[in-house]
Amino acid sequence: MATLLQQLINGLVLGAAIALIALGYTMVYGIIQLINFAHGEVFMVGGFASLATYSYVLPDSWKSDWYLALPLMAVGGALVAVVLAVIMERFAYRPLRNAPRLAPLITALGVSVVLKEAVRLWYPGATAPVPYPRAFVDKQFSVEAFGGRITIGSTALLMIAVSLIGAVVLQTYISRSRMGRAMRATAQDPDTARLMGVNPNRTIVLTFAIGAALAGIAGVLYGIHYTNVDTEVGFLYGIFAFTAAVLGGVGSIKGAVIGGFAIGLIKSLAGQYLPGGTSYDLVWIFILLIVVLVFRPQGLFGEPERVRA
Amino acid sequence: MSQLKDVLKPGLARPLAVGGGVLAVIAALLPWVTYKFAQYGGDNYPAAASLQFFDAPFQLEGYRLHTLILGVVVVVVALAPVPARHRVLRALGWGLVAVGVINTVFAAVEGGGLGAVTAADGAIAFGGFACVVAGVLAILAGIAGGIEHVHVWRAKVATPVAYLVLLVSFVVLLLLVAMMLNAGGQGGVGNPYAGPIFLSLLGFLAGALGALHGVGLTGWISKLSDQHKVFSVAVLVLCALALPFTEAGTDYWMTTAANIGIYAATAIGLNIVVGLAGLLDLGYVAFLGIGAFVAANFSGAAAAAFGVELPFVLAAIIAAVVAGIFGAIVGSPTLRVRGDYLAIVTLAFGEIFKKAAQNNIGGLTGGANAIPNVPPINWFGQSFDKSLTIGSLELPSGVLYYVLIIVLVALVMVVFANLKNARIGRAWIAIREDEDAARAMGIKTGQAKILAFLIGATLAGLAGAVFAHKTSTVAYDSFQFIESVTLLAAVILGGMGSIPGAVLGAALLLVLPEKLREFSDYRLMLFGLALILIMRFRPQGLVPDRHRRAELADEGAEGVPIEELNVHDTPGGSTAVAR
Amino acid sequence: MTALLEVQNLSVAYGAIEAVRDVSFAVEQGQIVSLIGSNGAGKTTTLRTISGLIRPKSGRILFEGKPIGDLAAHSILERGVAHCPEGRRLFGRMTVEENLQLGAYVRKDEGVAKDMERVYELFPVLGQRKQQKAGLFSGGEQQMLAIGRAMMSKPRLLMLDEPSMGLSPIMTQLIFDTIRELQSQGTTILLVEQNALAALALSDRGYVVDLGRTTLEGPGHELLADERVRAAYLGED
């Protein structure tokens, strides 16, 4: 029982990270129907950028104060992620906006490979997982219950809190603000949105930027929770997040969050209880992805869309 | 581009071209680097890079000879009545730019800065810069003159003459391939020249080919080969089989060429799925892997799950069938899933395969230990990994694998070509262009799509069987996502739906890393960049399929008529601004 | 005095196909001007070009005497040209109110709420169902919302593309009454219609577009009387 609870907690933490990344996927897909394959790598770059902020930018005296270090690292990670996303939107995706659909997908694949390789080659020591500092927020809460010990770290609580708050803020922004309306309008009917005076390029860049900022923050949270960053996580978490977005219904904020937590819980529980254990936990997620795409491509909360080519 | 066109009056074309050509000739005669590369035995980079025209005018070789040739041709083209002159000029110009930039950049990097290629220690060397400027002048001349359509030769020739022409062209092709493989020798630490010499030659050949394409020669030859298909294929296969007898007939290149062949066969299989049917498959390498594991398990290797040793042909057929079955399974979601969602489904299948193989599923894959020591193919007492002696002629080791793979590639090509022109091929192309319309016309789209996956996977499985024996170790990590991306890159680089394209793409993607060993760390990054740049500037690939409306060329979207898209296909100038 | 909108020798192409070859017309301040013509004559393309969704191949578009042919769609809207597109094109998954707010997207002044009230006065049925999704409305109600949405940007020139398409005769009458009402409030209107009879009856000036060219022009009532127009577009022989 205690094991189950512990696994549920682990799953929720993982799910929180996935949800934060899935938000970017779902928003970008919602607005330009692009599977931004490189989004997972943006998350990874965010993790490395925040680490670089810690290692090379922060003065040593600030490093031990979490209330100074953590926000600045988050800003560093998010900022680099945003700049990266804006550049790739402008130079890789925008020229292909009217191209057949395979072209931007292949480009996204290319961008993803380039980002991963760039970090692997040029970040010092990134050919292997790089240790990430968390000395400043390593408090663990644990209780004896159900015949075992259940532990939850402050980083885990932070991860869950940030992802929930982020989703609520984003949902409010999109449903209430002027730019949010513009985003939804562009997603529904880009031409008519232009007739309303919406600048589609600006709207799309903003969408990319918001998604990237969330992914960058997810990178920081991932780092402090799992105490390392690794060039491999971009691809993996990208797939997780994409699965979450599809499961929840692409374009839906709520769906992305619920999908994210669902994926986290499935991975964690499947690793514990299903045959094959952690060796096969990814396989279950991929099978789930296939099943959802085949039988309910609009996801749990998505509206059945017109036939997609 | 349009502003540039306004400035460049057509009258400027000829003076610009002549100027460019003369400058190129001068560039060829100028020194290119300022000092000797002591660390390479005191040689000038790579050979005769200093001014020596007056004492040994005929010793120009390598890239300087290429520069000289291009320069002379530019002048001739500018003055003589040449069809599609400005298109030819542009191609030649890009060739010059490529040669100039590649050698200059290399010399500057190796020689420690700009001084190595400009002026230092009392020596001057502006050859590289002159060459680039000459190339730019030729390109500008091409733009100024306006780009004409590719010239079409309507000359009808008698069959014997056509045979002769085809024979000569394929032999030339063979010699060029051998020359390219050998250019600069084998890459590696001991031979830093390999990369730039090879790239420079590539640039030169691309420019020359673009020029020949412009005057219509390549189009004519390809038309002839279309008319005499059987003969062409036979000659082509014979030429490929003759490669071991050329200067490229070394152990090393036979092994590399065999690897290229395996990937090319797999890429052609993928081309059925992606290029013909328009279904993006991101997990395709799994079928190669399935074929390899099946063959390994029937090979009698110590770690094999089955203790039987089947003859290679039988094992290969089983491997192909099993891969085909998995292909049909992976393809079955196409009944309900389309477009980029389908791409993700295939990716998921690919990852499931990798995970399963990594965990030694059913004891079939060896997991992290792989299946080592798969014996080489052995026919008639001749082991395929040994060298072969026929009479007094000793052929390099690996030559038998090379021959086997040439046969395999030829087989796959024939399958592909027949399918493409058959009913099913037209059905695939219809599905690619518009699935709903295809269905409305009575095409059983579901069947056709699954069949595409099935056939593609079967071919990959066959290639996998050869792969298992040739590499002798079959490990799950040879079949990762990035390998699927590489195959996809090969197909896209070459041109979707085009057979020569897939072979060329696979060859380039495998030969380049061999030549650029020093940069092997950057291999994946270059793949990624290549994908982005091709999609941006040349979505139809290097050798676009003539019979298809390029799915990935955004014709019409911005008001460019389809014919104009072909205006820019000078191979050397593939990144030219398209409009 | 120069016309509010002047289109000179406009031609527009989709790829190699020229949809508009040589269209010229002018819209004077305060007028209702209609472009009539058969399906595929290039009327919709002309409007889409004026509002900046498509780039002209050649020719000039002048608004208040200044060329707008190479401006982005949102800049053209900011200059005061609103376009109510063919087929309504409402944001079906958004509420009435959100649709109207999007109509006022380029405005930064305080009067948006007041103008929204005016739309609700003009079309009371919208006012009663502000929070409903636009996709749930009937064709006529959607057309009202589409016009109301276009009016929210306070345009100097309102372009209406086939406002009567698919509507019942009563609803069509209501929409045309509204158009006249808008004119009387000072909005200049460029109307594209297949319902030539109703459009010309309403118009100060009409232009006949045929195969991408303007072939006839004149005051609405004169065109209405023209034999060629009657033969071609009003179903008489």
Side-chain angles (χ1 to χ4, degrees), chain A residues 27 170-177 180-181 183-184 253:
Chain A
M27 284 174 62
L170 186 61
Q171 176 75 57
T172 315
Y173 179 72
I174 286 188
S175 58
R176 299 260 184 274
S177 75
R181 267 198 301 280
M183 284 179 187
R184 282 183 294 148
I253 304 283

Side-chain angles (χ1 to χ4, degrees), chain A residues 37 95-96 100-101 103 105-107 113-114 117-118 122 235 239 242 250 279-280 282-283 286 293-294 308, chain B residues 280 333 336-338 340-341 344-345 347 351-352 355 359 481 492 522 524-525 528-529 535-536 551-552:
Chain A
F37 224 92
L96 298 179
R101 291 187 63 155
L105 183 62
I106 292 168
T107 299
V113 172
V114 168
E117 287 300 302
W122 292 321
F235 175 70
I239 295 291
F242 176 76
V250 170
S279 307
Y280 279 94
L282 296 182
V283 172
F286 288 125
L293 283 177
V294 170
R308 296 168 1 85
Chain B
L280 189 55
R336 296 179 55 101
V337 184
R338 284 186 184 188
D340 34 18
Y341 274 22
I344 299 296
V345 168
L347 183 150
E351 291 301 304
I352 291 174
K355 272 286 159 195
N359 291 313
F481 176 63
I492 290 166
Y522 295 87
L524 293 177
M525 174 170 287
L529 276 177
M535 283 299 115
R536 175 74 180 81
E551 152 122 335
L552 287 163

Side-chain angles (χ1 to χ4, degrees), chain B residues 144-220:
Chain B
I147 303 295
E148 307 90 338
H149 286 284
V150 172
H151 189 69
V152 181
W153 293 12
R154 305 203 185 280
K156 284 220 168 38
V157 293
T159 306
V161 181
Y163 280 7
L164 192 65
V165 170
L166 287 172
L167 193 63
V168 170
S169 357
F170 287 135
V171 169
V172 169
L173 190 67
L174 167 71
L175 294 178
L176 282 181
V177 169
M179 180 168 125
M180 273 170 49
L181 288 182
N182 245 25
Q186 191 175 327
V189 183
N191 183 8
Y193 299 153
I197 293 180
F198 175 74
L199 283 179
S200 169
L201 180 65
L202 209 59
F204 166 68
L205 290 178
L209 267 177
L212 291 178
H213 179 66
V215 297
L217 182 65
T218 54
W220 184 62

Side-chain angles (χ1 to χ4, degrees), chain C residues 12-209:
Chain C
V12 188
Y14 295 101
I17 303 144
E18 273 201 334
V20 171
R21 290 208 182 91
D22 184 14
V23 162
S24 300
F25 61 88
V27 182
E28 300 287 343
Q29 178 78 47
Q31 286 189 336
I32 296 180
V33 172
S34 53
L35 303 181
I36 61 170
S38 56
N39 248 339
K43 297 165 299 184
T44 296
T45 304
T46 305
L47 290 200
R48 287 170 65 83
T49 312
I50 295 171
S51 57
L53 292 180
I54 316 172
R55 289 265 162 264
K57 194 175 138 204
S58 60
R60 302 216 303 161
I61 303 170
L62 302 174
F63 185 68
E64 298 177 313
K66 293 189 194 89
I68 57 168
D70 53 358
L71 293 183
H74 57 93
S75 320
I76 292 174
L77 183 69
E78 280 164 10
R79 299 271 173 108
V81 182
H83 179 174
C84 179
E86 187 180 7
R88 270 78 86 178
R89 305 283 288 266
L90 294 173
F91 298 107
R93 278 179 270 157
M94 296 195 206
T95 63
V96 169
E97 193 170 324
E98 284 176 322
N99 269 283
L100 292 179
Q101 281 168 335
L102 273 163
Y105 182 79
V106 289
R107 284 176 59 185
K108 295 183 173 71
D109 56 296
E110 300 295 310
V112 174
K114 222 171 76 194
D115 285 334
M116 210 179 283
E117 283 310 313
R118 275 186 47 209
V119 172
Y120 292 145
E121 272 166 37
L122 198 60
F123 304 112
V125 61
L126 300 180
Q128 290 150 18
R129 302 164 66 183
K130 288 179 208 176
Q131 296 306 328
Q132 285 191 21
K133 296 252 158 56
L136 304 172
F137 283 59
S138 76
E141 290 161 341
Q142 289 199 1
Q143 187 61 56
M144 293 175 194
L145 179 51
I147 294 176
R149 185 180 66 175
M151 288 306 296
M152 286 302 293
S153 69
K154 280 191 144 175
R156 315 276 307 279
L157 172 70
L158 173 63
M159 304 194 293
L160 298 168
D161 196 348
E162 304 279 5
S164 75
M165 190 165 65
L167 301 188
S168 69
I170 297 173
M171 197 51 89
T172 304
Q173 193 52 52
L174 184 72
I175 295 293
F176 277 99
D177 288 347
T178 310
I179 293 172
R180 195 179 289 288
E181 168 76 19
L182 291 175
Q183 183 199 21
S184 69
Q185 289 173 11
T187 311
T188 310
I189 285 163
L190 174 59
L191 183 64
V192 156
E193 260 298 339
Q194 285 199 56
N195 185 347
L197 182 65
L200 288 176
L202 191 72
S203 302
D204 298 297
R205 202 166 178 78
Y207 292 82
V208 177
V209 184

Side-chain angles (χ1 to χ4, degrees), chain B residues 15-408:
Chain B
L16 276 173
V18 172
V22 170
L23 187 58
V25 172
I26 295 172
L29 304 177
L30 280 176
W32 284 49
V33 296
T34 51
Y35 64 96
K36 291 171 189 291
F37 279 69
Q39 66 266 47
Y40 308 132
D43 279 348
N44 280 311
Y45 158 76
S50 61
L51 189 60
Q52 50 153 206
F53 176 67
F54 297 104
D55 50 327
F58 300 111
Q59 277 190 11
L60 280 189
E61 56 178 0
Y63 66 94
R64 297 176 77 201
L65 181 62
H66 303 153
T67 311
L68 184 70
I69 294 173
L70 287 174
V72 171
V73 176
V74 165
V75 175
V76 171
V77 169
L79 300 176
V82 174
R85 170 184 296 142
H86 301 105
R87 170 185 278 276
V88 173
L89 283 177
R90 254 174 55 133
L92 295 170
W94 279 111
L96 279 171
V97 169
V99 171
V101 167
I102 289 162
N103 288 294
T104 304
V105 168
F106 176 75
V109 170
E110 287 288 312
L114 272 180
V117 288
T118 53
D121 307 330
I124 55 155
F126 287 97
F129 288 98
C131 181
V132 174
V133 173
V136 170
L137 287 179
I139 294 169
L140 290 179
I143 296 172
I147 303 295
E148 307 90 338
H149 286 284
V150 172
H151 189 69
V152 181
W153 293 12
R154 305 203 185 280
K156 284 220 168 38
V157 293
T159 306
V161 181
Y163 280 7
L164 192 65
V165 170
L166 287 172
L167 193 63
V168 170
S169 357
F170 287 135
V171 169
V172 169
L173 190 67
L174 167 71
L175 294 178
L176 282 181
V177 169
M179 180 168 125
M180 273 170 49
L181 288 182
N182 245 25
Q186 191 175 327
V189 183
N191 183 8
Y193 299 153
I197 293 180
F198 175 74
L199 283 179
S200 169
L201 180 65
L202 209 59
F204 166 68
L205 290 178
L209 267 177
L212 291 178
H213 179 66
V215 297
L217 182 65
T218 54
W220 184 62
I221 291 174
S222 103
K223 206 163 75 188
L224 284 184
S225 77
D226 262 6
Q227 284 162 2
H228 307 282
K229 229 176 222 148
V230 179
F231 179 79
S232 315
V233 171
V235 172
L236 202 56
V237 171
L238 285 179
C239 280
L241 292 178
L243 187 68
F245 300 99
T246 67
E247 49 184 329
T250 63
D251 296 4
Y252 173 74
W253 281 118
M254 283 302 102
T255 309
T256 307
N259 283 337
I260 293 171
I262 289 175
Y263 270 86
T266 318
I268 296 172
L270 178 61
N271 213 347
I272 293 179
V273 185
V274 180
L276 290 186
L279 309 163
L280 189 55
D281 189 337
L282 295 180
Y284 189 70
V285 82
F287 303 126
L288 185 73
I290 289 170
F293 279 120
V294 170
N297 276 314
F298 285 114
S299 69
F306 314 117
V308 286
E309 182 176 352
L310 294 180
F312 168 73
V313 174
L314 192 56
I317 291 173
I318 295 174
V321 169
V322 173
I325 291 169
F326 276 99
I329 294 171
V330 172
S332 56
T334 55
L335 296 180
R336 296 179 55 101
V337 184
R338 284 186 184 188
D340 34 18
Y341 274 22
L342 179 64
I344 299 296
V345 168
T346 58
L347 183 150
F349 273 118
E351 291 301 304
I352 291 174
F353 166 77
K354 190 197 94 180
K355 272 286 159 195
Q358 187 179 5
N359 291 313
N360 193 11
I361 190 166
L364 292 171
T365 68
N369 298 326
I371 301 183
N373 302 323
V374 178
I377 302 173
N378 193 322
W379 281 349
F380 310 114
Q382 172 68 41
S383 179
F384 271 43
D385 61 342
K386 298 284 185 299
S387 64
L388 177 67
T389 314
I390 307 174
S392 62
L393 202 62
E394 192 178 333
L395 290 171
S397 65
V399 66
L400 282 174
Y401 276 119
Y402 174 77
V403 170
L404 177 67
I405 282 159
I406 290 298
V407 173
L408 177 72

Side-chain angles (χ1 to χ4, degrees), chain A residues 124-138:
Chain A
T127 42
V130 182
Y132 198 100
R134 79 155 180 199
F136 39 85
V137 272
D138 62 350

Side-chain angles (χ1 to χ4, degrees), chain A residues 10-91:
Chain A
N10 293 349
L12 285 177
V13 176
L14 178 68
I18 295 172
L20 272 178
I21 308 167
L23 290 173
Y25 259 116
T26 215
M27 284 174 62
V28 167
Y29 193 92
I31 201 161
I32 52 172
Q33 282 78 51
L34 165 73
I35 297 180
N36 180 14
F37 224 92
H39 188 62
E41 309 298 342
V42 171
F43 152 73
M44 180 272 293
V45 170
F48 275 95
S50 61
L51 179 60
T53 313
Y54 179 85
S55 312
Y56 304 116
V57 180
L58 286 184
D60 281 339
S61 55
W62 294 14
K63 285 183 181 175
S64 50
D65 299 325
W66 67 268
Y67 51 86
L68 282 177
L70 199 53
L72 286 173
M73 286 163 71
V75 167
L79 200 65
V80 172
V82 167
V83 169
L84 199 62
V86 169
I87 291 174
M88 74 190 184
E89 194 280 330
R90 179 67 189 81
F91 293 104

